[in-house]
Amino acid sequence: MPSPSHNCIRLSAVSILSAAVLALAGCSEEKAETKEIVRPVKVVEIAAIDTSRTLSYSGTVRARTEMNLGFRVNGKITERLVDIGQRVKSGDLLARIDPSDYELALASAKANLDATERQVETTELARVRAEQLFAKNVSPKSQLEQATLSYNQAVATRDSARSTLDQAKNQVSYTDLKSEQNGIVTAVSADIGQVVGSGTPVVSVAVDGEKEVLVAIPETDIAQFKPGKVVTVGFWSDAALMLQGKVREVAGSAEPQSRTFAVRISLPNDPNVLLGMTSGIVAAAADAQQLVSIPLSALAKKDDQAIVWTVDRTAETVHSRPVKVADFTSDGVRISEGLKPGDVVVAAGTQFMTEGLKVKLGSETVQQSAATENTQLVR
């Protein structure tokens, strides 16, 4: 059997070993307690906010001057001499209506003028005879005055007949519809056999010369368009063709159905621009409210208040910041208040963030720029 002294030595060794283990464990716990947690994070950086936004709308190329031509008299169309797309020159005949009634009126006016001229001749002879008799004291002065009055009335009637004849000639000429300027036929509104009234559009002609783009602008942006404003005009048929246009005219009232305002933008002369081409305009507009777009995962909530976690680059710590949400988009959320250019925002893992938490912005951390949301979509 082991001696008592041997047992005492063995117990002492065990006690020393146990104390050493406990001491090491205490050191490990102390180190574990003092070790600081550093969490790598993915961030987005708020880019510089632009002071303007871009307005983009589509339109069509039109001639600055378009003539809707119609007859100046009523009648039945007997000829149509042009088709859509045909080029015409000033004085070219476009259409004709039946002139029969107007030719009859012209013949009647001519006959009436002949009759009045004979009446003038008759009254003139009577006036001359009355003057001779009065000079010889054969007839009284009242007879001379009556002869003179009849002559003057005959002259006035003749002059009226001449005006009627001129009017009848004009009406016969109005049965021919002619182009007043060079251009291209863009529309035909009536055809052979149709009875039209005076002024009814029959043929539309786009006058050669300056072209423009007609754009419909909603009331929310119409204040951004004033005469003289410079815009960039592109064309769907040729992406390389870009022209600088100027706003020429802004409608004073909205269209009843679409509730949009017609804006006409003049274009410089370019042979590649054809009537009817589809175009798009781009214009800058001042924007009072700037919205910053960030990923939806960057948005958090604290005490019913929307917040984001911003990163202090110097201290490499995160801090909560309240923000105001403007709206949500398909790829994120737009913030109207609370963020400024240069802010670094935690983009993912916000549920693990605490105030003053140490984070790591190493090279392995994905960073991107969250630019301001300042572009108006094409309507």
Side-chain angles (χ1 to χ4, degrees):
M1 292 182 63
S3 64
S5 60
H6 186 271
N7 288 335
C8 290
I9 294 172
R10 185 175 181 181
L11 289 173
S12 299
V14 172
S15 299
I16 293 171
L17 181 60
S18 298
V21 171
L22 290 174
L24 290 174
C27 293
S28 298
E29 289 178 1
E30 183 179 354
K31 290 181 179 180
E33 290 175 357
T34 58
K35 184 178 180 181
E36 189 175 20
I37 299 176
V38 179
R39 183 179 296 276
V41 291
K42 178 182 177 181
V43 299
V44 292
E45 182 177 358
I46 307 303
I49 297 178
D50 195 359
T51 58
S52 65
R53 62 190 175 99
T54 300
L55 301 176
S56 179
Y57 295 97
S58 60
T60 56
V61 177
R62 303 180 63 176
R64 175 169 181 172
T65 304
E66 294 185 2
M67 302 183 300
N68 293 321
L69 303 178
F71 292 100
R72 299 175 66 175
V73 292
N74 305 327
K76 180 180 179 180
I77 298 177
T78 56
E79 293 182 76
R80 179 173 63 82
L81 307 175
V82 294
D83 295 312
I84 296 177
Q86 183 176 336
R87 297 200 62 82
V88 295
K89 296 180 180 179
S90 178
D92 285 356
L93 183 62
L94 307 178
R96 178 179 286 121
I97 63 174
D98 186 2
S100 301
D101 292 341
Y102 301 102
E103 289 175 348
L104 291 175
L106 176 61
S108 176
K110 287 181 179 179
N112 189 38
L113 178 60
D114 290 340
T116 57
E117 287 178 345
R118 302 293 82 78
Q119 185 65 27
V120 169
E121 293 175 358
T122 301
T123 55
E124 184 178 11
L125 291 175
R127 181 181 61 83
V128 171
R129 180 61 177 167
E131 289 178 349
Q132 293 174 348
L133 293 175
F134 177 73
K136 295 178 180 180
N137 294 322
V138 174
S139 63
K141 186 176 180 180
S142 60
Q143 187 174 351
L144 174 60
E145 291 175 347
Q146 181 65 37
T148 303
L149 179 60
S150 297
Y151 171 76
N152 291 337
Q153 288 177 341
V155 170
T157 303
R158 181 196 62 186
D159 292 342
S160 176
R162 284 179 177 174
S163 298
T164 302
L165 177 61
D166 292 339
Q167 185 178 9
K169 289 180 180 178
N170 288 339
Q171 288 184 328
V172 171
S173 66
Y174 294 157
T175 60
D176 291 341
L177 181 61
K178 297 181 179 180
S179 176
E180 298 179 0
Q181 299 186 51
N182 299 341
I184 184 171
V185 177
T186 57
V188 175
S189 306
D191 213 333
I192 297 175
Q194 183 174 344
V195 177
V196 295
S198 59
T200 302
V202 175
V203 177
S204 298
V205 176
V207 179
D208 289 344
E210 185 177 350
K211 298 182 180 67
E212 62 185 16
V213 175
L214 178 62
V215 184
I217 305 296
E219 59 186 83
T220 54
D221 291 328
I222 191 60
Q224 304 294 341
F225 291 86
K226 302 294 182 183
K229 182 182 180 67
V230 178
V231 301
T232 301
V233 183
F235 302 89
W236 291 10
S237 60
D238 187 355
L241 180 60
M242 301 293 290
L243 300 176
Q244 293 296 316
K246 287 186 178 181
V247 175
R248 181 180 70 83
E249 178 183 287
V250 178
S253 60
E255 292 290 337
Q257 296 180 348
S258 64
R259 306 308 303 167
T260 58
F261 293 79
V263 175
R264 296 179 179 270
I265 300 169
S266 60
L267 298 175
N269 187 22
D270 192 302
N272 296 316
V273 179
L274 305 178
L275 297 177
M277 291 177 64
T278 303
S279 63
I281 69 161
V282 177
D287 195 0
Q289 183 183 30
Q290 297 296 329
L291 304 180
V292 177
S293 179
I294 61 174
L296 183 60
S297 58
L299 188 66
K301 196 171 185 181
K302 181 179 180 181
D303 297 332
D304 294 331
Q305 168 68 50
I307 66 168
V308 295
W309 291 94
T310 59
V311 179
D312 184 343
R313 289 181 179 272
T314 303
E316 294 187 342
T317 56
V318 295
H319 306 277
S320 64
R321 181 183 297 180
V323 294
K324 184 175 180 180
V325 177
D327 56 23
F328 293 88
T329 63
S330 59
D331 56 353
V333 59
R334 297 196 298 180
I335 305 299
S336 60
E337 296 179 8
L339 292 176
K340 63 182 183 299
D343 286 342
V344 178
V345 178
V346 176
T350 56
Q351 67 273 23
F352 302 112
M353 299 295 103
T354 57
E355 189 67 27
L357 178 67
K358 277 281 188 179
V359 293
K360 180 180 181 181
L361 300 177
S363 58
E364 70 277 4
T365 303
V366 178
Q367 297 188 14
Q368 61 185 19
S369 175
T372 56
E373 187 70 20
N374 57 6
T375 302
Q376 180 72 31
L377 298 179
V378 175
R379 287 176 172 82

